[in-house]
């Protein structure tokens, strides 16, 4: 691989006349005006952009690429944009009347926050797909769910000793923006303007509540949802970065969603860590075996992957969940993926905004069917089969399915004990209209499904097992939670009887 | 280093005519037949193999290499194999009558699971060494130990509320395969055949229980033990990958065996992480200071390492434990390495299948002698001395030895309290023929030695100390377990007295 | 970036005649004598040095570099050193009468432990700055603080069952050296000499207590403090390594100071992990946007950074804390940075050696003023502004400030409960002249501020939020500690009343 990299470098060197390459792509007058000041004021931003594909290729040239190598999915691009590099002005001046943060800046109507609706100008199919992605709805799915609101309050709220208990006040906006909504996305709002004394004199800027944020479900100032820069980090917007697992890690690392940790200690992660120095992360389409020899997150969930004959293995998808049969984290039980990316509409049979009830029963009518689950599994397995035989693939998926059932079953036993504790008055829960997440027994219960049940399932899904399924927030910790809870429950019940409580 | 890489690349470019290189190595007719279909069906497998050394060199050529650079340890290779690349057919058709999964496939007797006995054809010394490795016996050492069986059941079993307690049913086969035996190795068994509708029409394949698996102690279908692909990942079987720490991480990352985490935050790991981009992971022998400037796992435990004069520092060993004086994890107390890699034969003086008794006394006659410990330590120190002076090396090892004693002592105090709890009936343990791992007090006890005592020792052994020995599952958590246990014990004893229990 | 690396390599190849490059730099006779033996005895050390800048440039040449590219800050270098490579003898024979470990070795007065006072010969400004760094005082700041001494004893001491409680004996020297003082630094002391039988016959060497150690606050044998090799690992002493985050990780990884973990899962860390293969870690000065596109630890805290116009963004600082307004870890409450790097002088209003009292009140007169905090914040923000607009920067810092207040407030509520437990006799604390860190309730309290409060603040400071602020030792765990403590406190108070305790 080392050799290929060098040879590739030499060929580029001879063919591309690299230093002058981006110079040949014309920059619009407006962008040049931006650069004239911001090259000094924000050198990091400008240098990142100069090294990017946006600086090196015009939309017209990108539209001229034939076949699977084409990166621009719009069928055409406005004339004013087609012949110049995709620079500052090309994005920050798009659709000025749509953006609440548009302001007059040195003679231009500029907005600060570029949205997926702006990116849609060239990347229409990806913008559509992403709109159907759960991630685009990540803010509302959390913020508009009353039960999650109770969890949020019990974690983010300021504690107050209230009589004989700790209770938590509603969290403040800055804490919310920095905690849950760092990933889920804040709601941006223009709250006025302010005049700042800059290197270029006094200038007026909009004041934006919720800023900064690049969460996947950010509510933008044109009303759109999401932030392409969550994965395609500004201002390089690099496909290379989005294809590497570190990008997904930013939100998928904690014990609530340990995808990155599980990946890194899986065989796939091992191959990635040891060998990726020789891979090509920029090739489009992405050829399995040639450009990479083990999948990253993107290979299974997003990228356009072809085999060495150039035949498509999986189509590009920014919907991401369209190869996922199960949702395995974030809720009490693993369950089939929801039908709509807007999960705030879901109601279980007890009327709660949850995809299952507390006994594990599914919220019928809101989740995908077993047939759809099979179809999505088959789609995902298409990627597996590029490197694994049928027996391997089927064995892996049978175990994964078994682990979903077993981990759900363990959580069901624990939830049964939790319900008994609520019934016996050892904790105050839903029946008492109380927050079910703010007492000691309740936390031992939420540990089990929020951290351990899901980790066991991630290890099964992404690693085929291993330590994250056993000793690293896995089955050991899951059974410890069960054992501790039962021990506490029994002792508290005995104590209550002894004192006549 | 950057320069060396480039120069190396250029030299290769000039000398090796790389694109045509593997084309010059003849492929057997049988392998060509495999490739004709599988190149399209499993492009990832084929591409990985094409980039491998197996595809680029014939065994005859490999046998012709003189001295320490030689990678093939067999003195001769069967004529039919010597002159062709080591391709699909060369491995998957070896010793057909020995493999229970051999089946007729397009006119060839093919087996799915290649075993160390197959690899022995060229790598005889390594196969022998690995047979003496504890890892080769990892499955039996776990599965055939009744006490470990209780631990397994308490972790992997499905929970049932039984009267006033949680009890765990024996775990199912898929859970076992995905959890403990993912690393320890499954036992493969042919359970029949099935006909599948493939791209090439209907074909019959064996059904193999325990598949997939690449655990280090896998029981193969020829009766052999182990999986070379655990570290030399199929189908590249790369020495480069095996030498990088990410490979060992796959099994040595959790809190039960935190080798990778300790390594990465040690000075050695720091040097590796910062500098390995310029190292040569493929050179054989491996020259300290020139090919690498800090050890990876392999450098200390496996690889043939020479100094810059070409003199051997340590011989290659796939036995791995032959430089290890102590076993520092997985059991209640650190203890001298077992004499036999089959640890199921060990009995302590109470007849339990453990290398120590619960008071820390050694299972005499089953563990290596102090003299052998000194010899192994001296062998390991030979590697240290390449970069460290005598005072450094001796200081390091004195502290490590002290830490083994101190951590054992802390666990002994806690185990004494555990034994008192069993005696007083506050938990049901070995004396009551009950599972000693499934109650709340018992879990606090196993946390201490399964996670914290061992982490402290790993930090001492591999890092010379640091955070994993103090705050990251280290002494802070170890003393917290002691403090909590004592607090619980005292309060439960008081409660039992108060109620006349 | 790939291209630049290759082109850079080719240019070097043509201009530098690399293999002969260091050969042109004369080596002193004394160093040559060292090399004659040690090249074989310690090939790793010698090879590392040969690849270093110290071997490739004479001090005279280094002094000749003009402007910001100059790496040697001394205005002149002794004549005897100026014209030769900085080899073994140049450092290990410096100032022989100042070093207690100087010994006669083959006709030379050699000392084993090179100190910052030796490095000062060429790097005078850095030695001065480092002397004002908290790190240089890390040993005394821990060892000379009676309250920290109690924490140390409760973590590192050997446990003894004393009546109805676990108590901890004072820890032994080897444990201390391997645990806290691995990072904080040991105190080195010559304790005699010993004769060793070496490859070169019998030789006498000093015996040094506290060796090996490379902690940041090591007390050296010339009385100086610190170890440059803590970050500039011997014997390459590479700027490249010190600029990569893995180096800082060695001490800043555990739950007590999770800087590395937070960094790696931040957007900055994501960019580093995905893109740093194409960065230049050796350029001096370090140009933002060109040499690197996201900060590492060094970029914000240490390095001389310039913009693409070559204008200084931040000056080099080995004091490190001079851009830090707050100290956010290691103590009960976050508080303004101490005025003196020697924190053993601090007394709170209750006379305790702490920067705050238990209620959170500041130790007035010992901590920097709000004005100084603003000045340091402005200095740090200068780096942020290279890639971030004003609204971004101000929003980030407003949230960080809010998180400091909120996390302090949560810890204040918990500390209030801890104080009540001490007052009610449910634990024995400062008022009873007892160790406040060795009982079950006390550990739940120290978990909260030693691990969770600080993690929340690190996530805010370095990541702008994310999982380490919520579910990974973050607010979830912080509130769990509060909830558990309150539950325990209430139940223990009820139990005490019931039994008349």
């Amino acid at each position: 691989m080392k050799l290929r990299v060098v040879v590739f470098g030499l060929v580029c060197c001879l063919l591309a006349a690299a230093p002058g390459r981006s110079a040949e792509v014309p920059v619009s007058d407006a962008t040049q005006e931006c650069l004239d000041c911001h090259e000094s004021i924000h050198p990091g931003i400008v240098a990142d952009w100069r090294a990017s594909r946006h600086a090196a290729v015009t939309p017209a040239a990108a539209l001229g690429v034939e076949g699977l190598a084409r990166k621009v999915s719009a069928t055409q691009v406005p004339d004013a944009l087609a012949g110049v590099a995709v620079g500052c002005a090309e994005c920050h001046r798009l659709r000025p009347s749509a953006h609440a943060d548009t302001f007059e800046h040195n003679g231009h109507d500029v907005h600060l926050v570029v949205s997926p609706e702006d990116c849609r100008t060239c990347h229409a199919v990806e913008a559509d797909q992403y709109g159907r992605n759960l991630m685009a709805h990540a803010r509302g799915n959390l913020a508009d769910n009353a039960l999650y609101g109770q969890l949020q309050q019990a974690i983010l709220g300021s504690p107050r000793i209230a009589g004989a208990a700790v209770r938590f006040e509603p969290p403040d906006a800055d804490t919310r923006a920095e905690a849950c909504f760092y990933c889920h996305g804040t709601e941006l709002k223009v709250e006025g303007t302010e005049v700042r004394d800059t290197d270029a004199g006094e200038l007026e800027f909009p004041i934006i509540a919720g800023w900064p944020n690049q969460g996947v479900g950010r509510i933008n100032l044109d009303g759109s949802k999401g932030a392409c820069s969550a994965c395609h980090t500004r201002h390089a917007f690099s496909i290379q970065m989005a294809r590497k697992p570190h990008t997904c890690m930013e939100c998928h690392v904690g014990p609530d969603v340990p995808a990155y940790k599980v990946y890194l200690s899986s065989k796939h992660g091992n191959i990635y860590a040891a060998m990726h120095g020789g891979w090509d992360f920029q090739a489009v389409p992405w050829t399995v075996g040639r450009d990479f020899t083990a999948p990253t997150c993107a290979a299974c969930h997003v990228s356009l992957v072809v085999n060495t004959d150039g035949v498509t293995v999986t189509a590009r998808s920014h919907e991401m969940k369209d190869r996922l049969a199960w949702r395995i984290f974030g809720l009490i039980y693993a369950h089939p993926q929801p039908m709509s990316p807007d999960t705030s509409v879901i109601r279980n049979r007890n009327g709660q905004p949850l995809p299952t009830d507390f006994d594990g029963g599914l919220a019928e009518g809101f989740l995908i069917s077993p047939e759809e689950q099979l179809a999505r599994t088959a789609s995902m397995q298409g990627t597996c089969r590029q490197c694994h035989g049928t027996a391997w693939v089927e064995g892996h998926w049978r175990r994964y399915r078994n682990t979903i059932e077993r981990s759900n079953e363990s959580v069901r036993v624990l939830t049964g004990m939790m319900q008994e504790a609520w019934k016996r008055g050892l904790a105050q829960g839903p029946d008492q209209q109380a927050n079910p997440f703010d007492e000691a027994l309740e936390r031992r219960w939420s540990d089990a499904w929020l951290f351990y049940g899901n980790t066991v399932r991630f290890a099964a899904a992404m690693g085929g097992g291993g330590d994250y399924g056993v000793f690293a927030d896995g089955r050991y910790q899951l059974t410890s939670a069960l054992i501790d809870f039962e021990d506490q429950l029994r002792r508290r019940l005995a104590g209550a009887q002894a004192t006549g409580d």
Side-chain angles (χ1 to χ4, degrees), chain A residues 302-305 312-317 323:
Chain A
V302 190
S303 300
L304 166 60
V305 172
T312 297
V313 172
T314 41
R316 183 182 295 120
S317 166
R323 288 170 225 159

Side-chain angles (χ1 to χ4, degrees), chain A residues 142 176 263 350 427 444 493:
Chain A
L142 177 58
R176 284 163 52 97
Y263 174 74
N350 300 323
R444 208 74 186 99
L493 280 173

Side-chain angles (χ1 to χ4, degrees), chain A residues 294-466:
Chain A
T296 65
C297 314
C300 294
H301 297 290
V302 190
S303 300
L304 166 60
V305 172
V306 299
N307 68 16
T308 39
D309 293 333
V311 175
T312 297
V313 172
T314 41
R316 183 182 295 120
S317 166
H318 283 68
E319 185 173 339
M320 300 189 190
K321 72 178 175 1
D322 48 4
R323 288 170 225 159
L324 295 176
W326 296 93
R327 192 150 58 136
I328 60 174
F329 73 99
L331 289 144
I332 305 175
Y333 300 102
H335 56 276
Q337 285 282 336
M339 289 169 63
S340 162
D342 174 3
T343 62
S344 67
V345 301
I346 297 176
R347 291 293 175 277
N348 68 16
R349 57 189 159 194
N350 300 323
Q352 293 166 308
L354 292 173
T356 71
D357 50 53
F358 276 44
D359 297 320
L362 302 180
E364 313 257 0
F366 295 99
L367 310 179
I368 63 171
S369 67
E371 294 70 32
E372 173 67 12
Q373 285 191 292
L374 287 176
R376 292 190 183 189
T377 298
S379 166
M380 180 67 94
Q381 289 178 342
T383 306
C384 309
R385 286 178 200 282
Q386 302 308 305
C387 300
H388 296 285
T390 298
W392 187 298
V393 173
E394 291 186 353
H396 172 88
W397 287 82
R398 187 191 64 247
R399 286 183 192 152
Y400 173 42
R401 178 66 193 258
N402 179 63
T403 292
I404 288 175
E405 287 175 18
R406 289 283 157 277
S407 60
N408 272 354
E409 183 186 356
S410 291
V411 170
R412 200 174 296 122
V413 170
L414 180 51
T415 303
M417 292 194 284
M418 186 72 248
Q419 289 172 311
E420 187 176 349
W422 282 325
K423 194 173 122 199
R424 302 288 199 107
L426 297 173
Q428 306 296 311
D431 296 342
Q432 295 86 3
Q433 316 301 325
N435 191 321
F437 305 115
D438 65 355
E439 296 183 64
L441 283 173
E442 292 166 343
R443 278 295 164 97
R444 208 74 186 99
W445 168 63
S446 61
D447 289 347
W449 51 264
L450 193 52
F451 299 153
Y452 310 141
N454 69 339
T455 298
V456 167
R457 292 187 290 262
F458 269 106
M462 297 177 57

